[in-house]
Every structure is written in C-alpha cells, then in structure tokens.
C-alpha cells in the first residue's frame, strides 16, 4: 500500500512538472510573438534570444497572468526552479524584478532532455497520434456510473502500439505504458491498478491541448490532478497548447470554415479555434483539419480531401514541361503552430490554410504539393511522415512547393 502511495505521489509530482513544461513553452512562444525575446547588447556583448526580467514582469501583470509584481516574480522563480528559464550567465539562481537578462533554455539549447522529459514527449506524441485516429481508442467510457474522457482498455492500447510500430512486442508495450503511468501521463481511471494488458480502463491524465494560465502553477495541488477522474466539459475549451498544434474535430456550432469541393461549391463546416499543423494529421472524424480557427476565421478546406481537381502522381509532377511551378517558402510558426493542413499519400498536398496564420502570410495555398521540407525531398512520403518532419523540426519551416500554373 505504501509503495502504491509513493508511486502516486511521484506520478503527481511528474504530472505537475509536465504542466510547468507546457505552461513554460506556451509563455516562451507568446513572448517571441510579442517581441519581448530578442538579441540584446550589454557591456559590449550581445546576448541572443533573451528578455529583461523587469519588462517581463510588466508584461505578466498587464496581460493578467499575475495579479501583482510579487506574484509574477514567484511564477518566474517557479519556471527557473524547473529549469525552464535561467540567467544568461547562470549567475543568479533567484529571479529578480530588475534590469537583468534571462533566457528560456529551449532558446539556447541548454534545456535538459533527460529520461523524464523524453518520456513526457513520447507520451505527448502518442496522445496526438491516438486522438487523431479516425477510429481512435480514446473515447468517453463509463464505469460504475462515472464517465471518463480520453479513456481506453489497456489491451486496446497495446494492440494499437503494435499495429503502429510503437512497440515490438506486447511486453515492450506494457513496459512503455507503465513508464507513462509512473510519469503521470496515463493512469487507471480509479487509480487502483498498475498498467496491465487487460480490459482494465485507463485514461490520459494530461490534456496537452489546454491553454495553461501561469497563476495556476502556484495554486496546483494533488486535488487538481484528481479532477481528471470525471468529465470536465470546459477542459477542452481552452486554446490549444503549442505542444499539440491541433485539436479534436470540434462540436461547437458557432464556428465555421468554408469547404472547397472539386465543383468549387462552398459549404459551411463546423470548426474550432486555429491551431495548426498537427503531428500526424492527428485528428479526424474522417479527417478533421489540422488547422484550428478563431470564430472569425474562414479557412478554405475540404474535410473529405476533395480539394484537388484530380490526383497527380510524383512522376507527373516531375515530368519535363509539367504545368507546375516550384517555389521555396519560409513559414515561421506562432504560438498556435503553422496554420496549414497537409493531406495525401504520395505526393501530399496542402488541404487547408488559415488565412490569419503564418502559412498564409508566407504564401502557402490550398492545392500546392509539398516537394521538400528543410531541403529533404518528401514527394514520395505520405502526409503523416511529412507532418512529423515539420513537427519535430525548428519553428521556422522551409518548404519547397509546386503549384499549378494558372
């Protein structure tokens, strides 16, 4: 019993650390967008990608991320203690509200990618792949009169891991799932069992998409982690996390995007907030868009992939005299992602573009074929692989595309 309690305490501590990592990454991207993070010069030396502590405290208070400066300092100290940010010279372990330069460790390559972080990232990637599957095993399920979201039988997850090459054997699959459980990423719905390859019901404890408020980091307790037991309808109504870059096919009726069929007719389709390219076109109820929209956004897309006037082979695209033109475009992702969807087996093409997103600003359009990602030929790769290349690469994505001659 004591061993079980100890494991739970460790899992909850790791779960909190995961929340800190996600909140820190969301803050980092917002500060980049707000131009608070930039190269700064001090005493004849240039410090790249850093921010002034005093300016950041101003920003946190003005954006209502903290009620006062003292709380804002506590929040940043929390991120410092978790090795998310640090003084540019590593001389000050205490975060001060002063004209001192600090930097996010992800911006200078000093972020500690230890075993714990790697398991967290593996869990996030699996979550994305699972939830994007059109026949996803993550579903609302009921047990003893209580409904659980993102839940699944243990044996079904092992089956999925084997089918998708995530584990070489059922034993390896169980070992992976137990590691995820130990790190607070999945758990038995009533927290009574370790992970077993059986019909026992488990669920993901972490909603990687939820937008974190920094003030919640100081108020989190073990009770907060227990909230995942029952369905929380507002949990998924937050903007998406940049770790996720995409959201489930939403159900709200107040948001819409325009779908373009081969006959060019326009129709309304339900959508959610703008997110962007996901790690495996990971969401779909057929194939829902990787692009999420604001309530005022209009995105040209066809959820049934009928965007192309006709299918093309790679040979047709590369044939001499083919009616296509090549272009190299650079897309700089924002706090929500890149803002476009790729679809298709080989070659893959752009299915949807958020007009207000980075992709549209860079010149990405529907019906363009993706030829290269960061100089690597992807014509013969499917959209899942192409998506993964973008997701695992730098924030600035260099694409070579081919588009039809008008």
């Amino acid at each position: 019993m004591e061993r079980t309690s100890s494991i739970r305490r460790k899992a909850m501590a790791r779960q909190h650390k995961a929340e800190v990592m996600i909140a820190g990454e969301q803050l980092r991207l917002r500060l980049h967008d707000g131009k608070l993070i930039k190269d700064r010069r001090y005493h004849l030396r240039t410090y790249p990608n850093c921010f002034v502590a005093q300016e950041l405290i101003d920003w946190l208070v003005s954006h209502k991320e903290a009620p006062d400066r003292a709380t804002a300092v506590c929040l940043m100290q929390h991120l410092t203690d978790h090795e998310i940010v640090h003084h540019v010279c590593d001389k000050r372990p205490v975060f001060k509200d002063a004209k001192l330069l600090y930097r996010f460790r992800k911006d200078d390559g000093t972020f500690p990618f230890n075993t714990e972080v790697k398991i967290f990232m593996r869990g996030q990637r699996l979550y994305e792949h699972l939830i994007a599957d059109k026949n996803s095993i993550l579903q609302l399920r009921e047990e003893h009169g209580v409904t659980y979201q993102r839940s699944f039988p243990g044996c079904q997850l092992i089956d999925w891991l084997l089918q998708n090459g995530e584990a070489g054997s059922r034993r390896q699959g169980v070992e992976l799932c137990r590691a995820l459980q130990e790190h607070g990423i999945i758990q038995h719905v009533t927290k009574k069992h370790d992970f077993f390859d059986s019909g026992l019901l488990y669920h993901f404890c972490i909603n990687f998409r939820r937008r974190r408020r920094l003030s919640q980091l100081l108020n989190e307790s073990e009770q907060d982690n227990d909230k995942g037991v029952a369905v929380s309808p507002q949990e998924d109504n937050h903007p998406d996390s940049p770790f996720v870059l995409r959201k489930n096919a939403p159900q709200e009726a107040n948001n819409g995007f325009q779908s373009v069929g081969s006959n060019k007719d326009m129709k309304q389709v339900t959508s959610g907030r703008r997110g962007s390219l996901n790690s495996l076109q990971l969401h779909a109820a057929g194939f829902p868009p990787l692009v999420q929209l604001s309530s005022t956004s209009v995105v040209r897309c066809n959820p049934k992939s009928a965007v192309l006037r006709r299918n093309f082979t790679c040979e047709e695209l590369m044939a001499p005299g083919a009616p296509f033109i090549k272009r190299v475009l650079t897309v700089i992702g924002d706090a929500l992602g890149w803002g476009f969807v790729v679809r298709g087996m080989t070659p893959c093409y752009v299915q949807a573009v958020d007009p207000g997103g980075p992709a549209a600003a860079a010149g990405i359009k529907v019906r363009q074929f993706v030829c290269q990602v960061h100089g690597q030929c992807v014509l013969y790769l499917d959209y899942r692989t192409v998506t993964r290349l973008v997701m695992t690469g730098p924030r600035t994505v260099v694409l070579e595309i081919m588009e039809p001659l008008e």
Side-chain angles (χ1 to χ4, degrees):
M1 192 68 180
E2 290 182 3
R3 179 179 176 275
T4 302
S5 298
S6 175
I7 291 175
R8 287 179 185 169
R9 285 194 298 271
K10 288 181 180 179
M12 287 178 176
R14 287 165 171 166
Q15 206 171 333
H16 175 70
K17 185 166 185 177
E19 293 291 330
V20 175
M21 288 173 56
I22 295 173
E25 178 66 1
Q26 290 177 345
L27 175 63
R28 185 181 74 89
L29 295 179
R30 291 176 69 191
L31 295 179
H32 271 288
D33 290 337
K35 309 301 182 186
L36 266 74
I37 294 178
K38 57 186 177 182
D39 296 352
R40 299 175 186 269
R41 192 166 179 81
Y42 180 72
H43 284 181
L44 302 179
R45 179 178 175 182
T46 299
Y47 296 89
N49 293 324
C50 59
F51 59 87
V52 178
Q54 198 173 76
E55 292 179 4
L56 175 57
I57 299 302
D58 292 339
W59 187 92
L60 291 173
V61 174
S62 66
H63 284 74
K64 302 188 185 306
E65 290 289 350
D68 51 55
R69 302 187 73 83
T71 304
V73 170
C74 289
L75 289 170
M76 294 309 301
Q77 184 62 52
H78 202 56
L79 295 183
T80 302
D81 293 340
H82 283 80
E83 298 186 282
I84 306 296
V85 301
H86 68 125
H87 183 261
V88 291
C89 297
D90 283 323
K91 292 181 179 179
R92 300 177 182 273
V94 177
F95 191 93
K96 291 184 176 293
D97 182 3
K99 292 183 178 180
L100 298 173
L101 298 181
Y102 291 82
R103 184 187 290 130
F104 280 83
R105 290 189 178 275
K106 286 198 71 175
D107 283 333
D108 63 7
T110 61
F111 186 76
F113 283 97
N114 53 29
T115 300
E116 191 171 325
V117 172
K118 289 177 180 177
I119 292 176
F120 165 78
M121 297 181 72
R122 180 82 181 273
Q124 187 267 337
R125 182 172 61 82
L126 291 176
Y127 177 87
E128 285 301 309
H129 293 195
L130 280 163
I131 211 164
D133 195 328
K134 64 178 180 180
N135 298 314
S136 177
I137 64 172
L138 302 186
Q139 298 177 12
L140 289 174
R141 303 176 192 267
E142 186 174 317
E143 185 171 282
H144 303 304
V146 181
T147 303
Y148 303 93
Q149 62 181 355
R150 302 186 296 275
S151 59
F152 54 88
C155 57
Q156 287 191 18
L157 179 57
I158 299 300
D159 291 340
W160 186 92
L161 292 173
L162 293 172
Q163 291 168 6
N164 289 271
E166 296 288 350
S169 65
R170 301 193 77 85
R171 180 179 177 179
Q172 288 182 6
V174 170
E175 290 174 353
L176 170 60
C177 292
R178 287 184 175 172
L180 296 177
Q181 184 180 26
E182 289 174 7
H183 285 76
I185 296 172
I186 64 173
Q187 67 182 15
H188 182 255
V189 291
T190 61
K191 304 182 181 178
K192 292 182 178 179
H193 300 281
D194 290 337
F195 187 89
F196 291 100
D197 184 3
S198 68
L200 290 173
L201 200 60
Y202 301 86
H203 70 165
F204 276 82
C205 318
I206 299 176
N207 178 2
F208 292 93
R209 291 183 176 74
R210 180 171 58 83
R211 173 78 170 268
R212 273 70 176 173
R213 291 195 65 82
L214 291 174
S215 56
Q216 293 174 342
L217 297 180
L218 298 181
N219 300 326
E220 274 186 344
S221 64
E222 292 187 0
Q223 286 77 10
D224 294 322
N225 294 312
D226 293 336
K227 291 180 182 178
V229 176
V231 174
S232 175
Q234 74 268 22
E235 184 183 41
D236 291 322
N237 290 334
H238 294 271
D240 297 272
S241 160
F243 280 95
V244 177
L245 304 181
R246 168 160 170 21
K247 184 180 178 182
N248 278 328
Q251 301 300 319
E252 302 108 342
N254 60 332
N255 292 333
F257 64 86
Q258 292 182 332
S259 170
V260 185
S262 56
N263 59 359
K264 298 184 182 180
D265 291 333
M266 307 296 284
K267 61 179 179 180
Q268 287 292 320
V269 183
T270 302
S271 174
R273 289 170 293 278
R274 184 174 71 79
S276 60
L277 186 63
N278 168 18
S279 72
L280 255 175
Q281 169 24 19
L282 300 179
H283 282 192
F287 285 124
L290 292 167
V291 180
Q292 293 171 320
L293 321 164
S294 66
S295 58
T296 58
S297 295
V298 175
V299 168
R300 290 188 175 275
C301 170
N302 187 336
K304 295 184 179 178
S305 298
V307 173
L308 296 179
R309 295 185 175 91
R310 77 172 183 85
N311 293 325
F312 290 89
T313 65
C314 296
E315 289 70 23
E316 286 179 296
L317 293 180
M318 301 302 294
F324 296 93
I325 185 172
K326 283 186 178 182
R327 298 176 61 194
V328 177
L329 304 175
T330 301
V331 184
I332 303 175
D334 62 14
L336 296 176
W338 292 272
F340 69 106
V341 182
V342 292
R343 176 60 60 211
M345 300 311 291
T346 56
C348 67
Y349 58 91
V350 178
Q351 185 195 43
V353 179
D354 180 353
I364 299 292
K365 303 175 184 177
V366 294
R367 299 191 180 100
Q368 289 175 338
F369 292 94
V370 183
C371 301
Q372 293 186 12
V373 176
H374 300 302
Q376 176 181 342
C377 179
V378 297
L379 271 178
Y380 297 92
L381 303 179
D382 64 14
Y383 72 92
R384 287 186 171 87
T385 307
V386 173
T387 301
R388 191 178 295 115
L389 285 173
V390 175
M391 288 285 295
T392 57
R395 189 179 179 196
T396 300
V397 181
V398 180
L399 302 174
E400 181 181 273
I401 57 91
M402 295 183 72
E403 60 184 14
L405 289 171
E406 298 296 337

